[in-house]
C-alpha cells in the first residue's frame, strides 16, 4: 500500500537510477495507474533527456526537491513481480559504484543482460530440453539402422538434457527432431538440470588434501589462494569443489581471463561435471548471453563460465566463485567502467556469503600480501601429477651473437632437435607483424605514426605499415620521407617474420602462428588449437595469446625470443608482469610426461631477475619484489589513485589537471605527483596527462579521488577534456 501523500506536503516519488554519466539518482512520480510499490532492483521505463530509458527502481519516498519542481512520471514498471536485479547484485553494484567512482545508474546496468537493459526479457524460456519418454529402457527399441538416434538416446539416458548440450555432442537438429517425431523423446522446459558427474582423474595426494580442506569450507565467505605451478592440476581441484557445491543445490561461477580459453575450458568442465556449462563473454550474441543469464538466474545452470563481466551475472543461489589465473591483467577493465573483476569477485563472494578460490601459478603481489596478512587462506600445489617435471630454464646471452631472424644458433639447434624428436617447439615473441619499425639506413628516419608517439610496425601480408596503438594503416613507403633515400630497412623482428623463417628452416614441420592478426575469432583459434593437438612435430609461434592457459602436451621446448623488450619499463608493475609472463610461457613446456626445456634469449643476463628465473621459484622471486614494493611504499603497501585527462589540445589536458590540483585539499597523508605526461603522451591524437595520488590508506586516496571527481565536474575545462579518476590503477604509464 502506498501511503496517501498529505496535502501541501512533498509528493511521494520513486527514486530511479537512470543510465547516465551523472553521479546522482532521479525522482519520478509513480506511474498513474500504479497500485504497488516495487522492490528495489525492478526495472522501470522513464523519460530522460528527451527519450525513454530503462532505469532501476531504488525506493519510494517523499520528494526531497522543492515543492515547485515539476516531476516527470514513470511510464511503466517492467518488473512488477520479482525485481530483475537481485538484492545481492544490487548491493554489489552499489558498492561498485562507490568504490570505483562509477555513476550508480551506469553501474546498475552491469547486472542486467543486454536485452534486459533494453526493456526486454533476457531470453524467452522455451522447450529447449529433451528427455526420453519411456526412460533409458526404450533405447533398445530403436532399430540399429538409426544409429545416430540411438547414440543420442544413449547420451540422454534417464536425464533431462539441454538440446544445446546434445548439439554440443555432435548430434544434428535432424537427429533430435527424428527422436521427438517418433515419440521416443519429448521436448521439455527443464525446471532443473540434474548434473550427473562423470568420473575424472584420480586426484594426487596433494590435490586430495587441498580438496578436503576446501570442501570443509564450502559455506560462508572465505577467500582462498590456490598457488600451483602450471599443469599442477588446479583445475581438477576447482572441479571437485564445484561438484561439492552443486551437490548442495547451489551454483558456481568460474571466471577466466581470456575469451580464447573458453572453448577448451567449457569442454573440460562439461565433461567432468556432466552438465552444460553456459558461457558469458563478449564474443556471444545478445541472445546467447541472455540465455546464460536466464539459466543462471533461474538456477537451471549449476555452473557458469565467463570472462570479466560474468562477475555481475544474476544467480539464484551462488555458492562458489573461482577466479582462474587471478594475476592476469585482463581482469582489469581498462576503459569505462574501470574495475578489477578479481577484486569485485571477492566482494561478491563476501556479499553472497560464499567461498572464492583464486588460482594461479604466478599469483599477483596483491594476493600474496593478502595471504601474508591472513586475509586469504593459502594452498600450494608445487608438483605436477604423474611426476612430470618442471622444465629446465637456461639463459642465452645474445650479446655479440650473430642472430638469424632474432634467433641464436643454439635456439635454432634446440628447435631442430625438438622437431626431430617428433615433439613441438613454442616460440614466444612479444610483437606481431613483420618488424617493429621501418628505418632509413642513410639518415636514421623512422616511419612514425601521425597520431601517436610511436613508430609504425611493418606488416607483409598484406604489405602495409600499421600503428598498434591507434590502428592506423598506411601503405609501405618506398622512399625515406626525410632524405628520399630508397634504403629502408625493417628493424626488430615480429611474428610474421619469424614465421617465414621457421618455414624456411623446418620444411617438414607445420608452423602455427598465433597472434591477433592470424587469429581473428574463436573459430580460427579453436581450429588452430585443434590442428596443434593433432600434429606431431610442429613449431608454434606467437604473442601473449600463446602464453595463456592453453594446454600443449607435445611442447617440450620453449624459446623466449627477446626477453629484454619487456625488461625496462618505468611502470612499477613491469617486473611483476615480466616475471609472471616468463613463468607462464615457460609453463607451457613439458606438461605431459615429456620433459621440457626453456631458453630465454637476453642481452641482460646479469639482471637480477634473469638470474633468479633460472634458480629460484616464482614465490621466492615474488617475495623479493614484494619487499621492494614495501620499501618504496608502493602497492600493495598503501594505496594508489589516478586522475587522468586526455585532450586533443595538449594545453587543455595540462590546464585541467593544474586547476584541479590547485583546488584539491592537501592532506598530510597523501602525496600528489603531477600533472605529468603519460609515457606515450600522444595516442590516437589525444595528449594524455595524469596526477598520481599515493597514500598510506585506501580510504584517504579514495576520498581525495571523490573530491577530485566532484570538483572536476564543476570545471568548465572538464567539459572540453576527457577525464576520469581511478582507484587502484594497474597502468600508471
Ligand atoms: P592447472 O590448472 O594447474 O594448469 P590442470 O588441472 O590443467 O593444471 O592439469 C594439467 C594436466 O594434468 C591436465 O591434462 C590434467 O588432466 C592432468 N591432471 C591433473 N590432475 C591429475 C591427476 N590427479 N592425475 C592425472 N592427471 C591429472
Ligand atoms: Zn633518410
Ligand atoms: Zn597511432
Amino acid at each position: 500500500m502506498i501511503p496517501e501523500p498529505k496535502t501541501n506536503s512533498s509528493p511521494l516519488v520513486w527514486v530511479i537510477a537512470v543510465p547516465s554519466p551523472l553521479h546522482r539518482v532521479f525522482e519520478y512520480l509513480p506511474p498513474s495507474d500504479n497500485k504497488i510499490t516495487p522492490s528495489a532492483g525492478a526495472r522501470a521505463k522513464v523519460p530522460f533527456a528527451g527519450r525513454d530509458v530503462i532505469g532501476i527502481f531504488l525506493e519510494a519516498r517523499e520528494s526531497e526537491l522543492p515543492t515547485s519542481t515539476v516531476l516527470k512520471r514513470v511510464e511503466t514498471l517492467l518488473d512488477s513481480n520479482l525485481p530483475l536485479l537481485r538484492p545481492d547484485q544490487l548491493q554489489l553494484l552499489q558498492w561498485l559504484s562507490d568504490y570505483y567512482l562509477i555513476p550508480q545508474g551506469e553501474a546498475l546496468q552491469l547486472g542486467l543482460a543486454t536485452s534486459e537493459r533494453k526493456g526486454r526479457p533476457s531470453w524467452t524460456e522455451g522447450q529447449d530440453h529433451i528427455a526420453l519418454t519411456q526412460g533409458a529402457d526404450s533405447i533398445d527399441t530403436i532399430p540399429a539402422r538409426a544409429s545416430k538416434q540411438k547414440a543420442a538416446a544413449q547420451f540422454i539416458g534417464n536425464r533431462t538434457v539441454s538440446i544445446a548440450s546434445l548439439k554440443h555432442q555432435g548430434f544434428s537438429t535432424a537427429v533430435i527432431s527424428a527422436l521427438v517425431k517418433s515419440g521416443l523423446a519429448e521436448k521439455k522446459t527443464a525446471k532443473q538440470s540434474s548434473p550427473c558427474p562423470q568420473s575424472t582423474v584420480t586426484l594426487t595426494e596433494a590435490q586430495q588434501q587441498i580438496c578436503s580442506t576446501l570442501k570443509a569450507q564450502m559455506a560462508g565467505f572465505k577467500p582462498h589462494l590456490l598457488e600451483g605451478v602450471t599443469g599442477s592440476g588446479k583445475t581438477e581441484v576447482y572441479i571437485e569443489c564445484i561438484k561439492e557445491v552443486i551437490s548442495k543445490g547451489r551454483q558456481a561461477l568460474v571466471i577466466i581471463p581470456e575469451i580464447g580459453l573458453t572453448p577448451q575450458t567449457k569442454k573440460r568442465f562439461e565433461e567432468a561435471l556432466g552438465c552444460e556449462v553456459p558461457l558469458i563473454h563478449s564474443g556471444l550474441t545478445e541472445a546467447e548471453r541472455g540465455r546464460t543469464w536466464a539459466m543462471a538466474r533461474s538456477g537451471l545452470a549449476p555452473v557458469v563460465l565467463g570472462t570479466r563481466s560474468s562477475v555481475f551475472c544474476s544467480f539464484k543461489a551462488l555458492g562458489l566463485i573461482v577466479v582462474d589465473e587471478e594475476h592476469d591483467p585482463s581482469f582489469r577493465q581498462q576503459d569505462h567502467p574501470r574495475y578489477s573483476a578479481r577484486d569485485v569477485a571477492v566482494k561478491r563472494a563476501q556479499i553472497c556469503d560464499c567461498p572464492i578460490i583464486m588460482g594461479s601459478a604466478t599469483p599477483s603481489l596483491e594476493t600474496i600480501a593478502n595471504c601474508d596478512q591472513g586475509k586469504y587462506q593459502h594452498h600450494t600445489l608445487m608438483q605436477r601429477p604423474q611426476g612430470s617435471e618442471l622444465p629446465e630454464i637456461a639463459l642465452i646471452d645474445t650479446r655479440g651473437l650473430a642472430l638469424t631472424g632474432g634467433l641464436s644458433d643454439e635456439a635454432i639447434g634446440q628447435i631442430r632437435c625438438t622437431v626431430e624428436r617428433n615433439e613441438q617447439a613454442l616460440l614466444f615473441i612479444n610483437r606481431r607483424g613483420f618488424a617493429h619499425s621501418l628505418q632509413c639506413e642513410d639518415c636514421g628516419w623512422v616511419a612514425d605514426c601521425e597520431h601517436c608517439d610511436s613508430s609504425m610496425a611493418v606488416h607483409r601480408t598484406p604489405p602495409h605499415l600499421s600503428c598498434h596503438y591507434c590502428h592506423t594503416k598506411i601503405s609501405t613507403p618506398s622512399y625515406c620521407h626525410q632524405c628520399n633515400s630508397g634504403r629502408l630497412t625493417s628493424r626488430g623482428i615480429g611474428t610474421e617474420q619469424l614465421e617465414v623463417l621457421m618455414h624456411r628452416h623446418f620444411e617438414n614441420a607445420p608452423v602455427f602462428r598465433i597472434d591477433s592478426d592470424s587469429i581473428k575469432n574463436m573459430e580460427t583459434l579453436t581450429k588452430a588449437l585443434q590442428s596443434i593437438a593433432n600434429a606431431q612435430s610442429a613449431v608454434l609461434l606467437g604473442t601473449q595469446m600463446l602464453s595463456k592457459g592453453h594446454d600443449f602436451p607435445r611442447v617440450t621446448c620453449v624459446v623466449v625470443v627477446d626477453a629484454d623488450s619487456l625488461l625496462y619499463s618505468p611502470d612499477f608493475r613491469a617486473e611483476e608482469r615480466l616475471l609472471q609472463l616468463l613463468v607462464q610461457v615457460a609453463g607451457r613446456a613439458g606438461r605431459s610426461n615429456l620433459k621440457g626445456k626453456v631458453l630465454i634469449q637476453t642481452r641482460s643476463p646479469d639482471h637480477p631477475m634473469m638470474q633468479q628465473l633460472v634458480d629460484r621459484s616464482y614465490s621466492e622471486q615474488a617475495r623479493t619484489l614484494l619487499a621492494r614494493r614495501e620499501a618504496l611504499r608502493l602497492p600493495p603497501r598503501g594505496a594508489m589513485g589516478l586522475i587522468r585527462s586526455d585532450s586533443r589540445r595538449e594545453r587543455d589536458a595540462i590546464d585541467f589537471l593544474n586547476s584541479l590540483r590547485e583546488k584539491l585539499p592537501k592532506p598530510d597523508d597523501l602525496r600528489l605527483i603531477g600533472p605529468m605526461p603519460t609515457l606515450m603522451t600522444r595516442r590516437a591524437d589525444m595528449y594524455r596527462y595524469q596526477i598520481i595520488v599515493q597514500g598510506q590508506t585506501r580510504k584517504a586516496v579514495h576520498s581525495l579521488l571523490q573530491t577530485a571527481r566532484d570538483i572536476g565536474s564543476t570545471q568548465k575545462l572538464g567539459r572540453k577534456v576527457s577525464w576520469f579518476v581511478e582507484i587502484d590503477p594497474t597502468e600508471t604509464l
Side-chain angles (χ1 to χ4, degrees), residues 439-446 479-488:
Q439 193 172 21
C440 169
E441 284 192 41
D442 289 325
C443 75
W445 171 83
V446 175
Y479 296 96
C480 169
H481 286 188
Q482 196 162 277
C483 74
N484 236 9
S485 156
R487 303 201 314 142
L488 300 180

Side-chain angles (χ1 to χ4, degrees), residues 413-674:
Q414 289 285 348
I415 299 168
R416 169 152 295 122
C417 289
T418 310
V419 171
E420 281 170 0
R421 281 197 311 266
N422 251 344
E423 293 166 4
Q424 302 181 347
L426 185 157
L427 281 57
F428 172 79
I429 177 161
N430 197 30
R431 188 179 296 134
R432 63 192 171 87
F434 187 83
H436 173 63
S437 56
L438 190 69
Q439 193 172 21
C440 169
E441 284 192 41
D442 289 325
C443 75
W445 171 83
V446 175
D448 282 333
C449 175
E450 262 184 45
H451 311 281
C452 305
D453 293 333
S454 163
S455 61
M456 295 192 95
V458 183
H459 288 248
R460 284 270 171 95
T461 43
H464 66 280
L465 298 187
S466 160
C467 171
H468 290 176
Y469 298 97
C470 70
H471 311 293
T472 298
K473 290 181 175 49
I474 57 167
S475 54
T476 314
S478 327
Y479 296 96
C480 169
H481 286 188
Q482 196 162 277
C483 74
N484 236 9
S485 156
R487 303 201 314 142
L488 300 180
T489 329
S490 54
R491 300 229 179 267
I493 186 163
T495 46
E496 263 185 43
Q497 195 171 155
L498 203 54
E499 184 185 18
V500 174
L501 207 100
M502 289 296 106
H503 271 304
R504 207 176 297 152
H505 269 279
F506 305 104
E507 282 172 348
N508 296 324
V511 175
F512 298 97
R513 170 157 71 94
I514 308 278
D515 59 29
S516 56
D517 296 318
S518 62
I519 303 292
K520 293 280 186 221
N521 53 40
M522 281 289 250
E523 221 166 275
T524 45
L525 179 63
T526 312
K527 251 194 202 148
L529 293 175
Q530 198 57 51
S531 317
I532 292 170
N534 293 337
Q536 291 284 312
S537 63
V539 178
L540 334 180
L541 63 96
T543 54
Q544 312 246 1
M545 245 190 197
L546 261 187
S547 72
K548 293 191 181 180
H550 303 294
D551 206 359
F552 303 115
R554 295 203 68 79
V555 168
T556 53
C557 171
V558 167
V559 180
V560 176
V561 178
D562 179 13
D564 306 331
S565 63
L566 303 155
L567 197 55
Y568 300 102
S569 158
D571 189 343
F572 75 90
R573 282 182 218 271
E575 284 199 328
E576 179 188 355
R577 291 267 164 79
L578 172 61
L579 176 62
Q580 288 165 342
L581 182 68
L582 291 179
V583 173
Q584 292 285 348
V585 175
R588 300 303 123 207
R591 275 166 69 97
S592 58
N593 45 11
L594 304 170
K595 177 140 176 62
K597 188 167 182 117
V598 179
L599 304 171
I600 297 178
Q601 299 198 137
T602 174
R603 286 180 306 279
S604 320
D606 303 324
H607 191 286
M609 188 153 160
M610 290 296 164
Q611 280 302 321
Q612 293 184 4
L613 266 178
V614 178
D615 54 34
R616 293 176 65 181
S617 69
Y618 174 81
S619 21
E620 285 173 292
Q621 296 176 72
R623 303 275 157 189
T624 314
L625 292 182
L626 203 50
R628 202 171 320 148
R629 293 264 189 96
E630 182 79 20
L632 295 170
R633 297 181 172 273
L634 285 167
R637 171 67 186 264
M640 198 177 259
L642 189 72
I643 310 173
R644 252 269 301 278
S645 139
D646 299 3
S647 172
R648 281 176 185 275
R649 286 190 48 195
E650 190 165 17
R651 201 60 253 165
D652 287 350
I654 303 169
D655 286 349
F656 172 74
L657 289 181
N658 269 328
S659 78
L660 188 58
R661 180 165 182 169
E662 244 166 53
K663 295 186 180 68
L664 282 175
K666 297 169 183 57
D668 295 336
D669 55 347
L670 289 181
R671 202 157 80 100
L672 269 67
I673 310 156

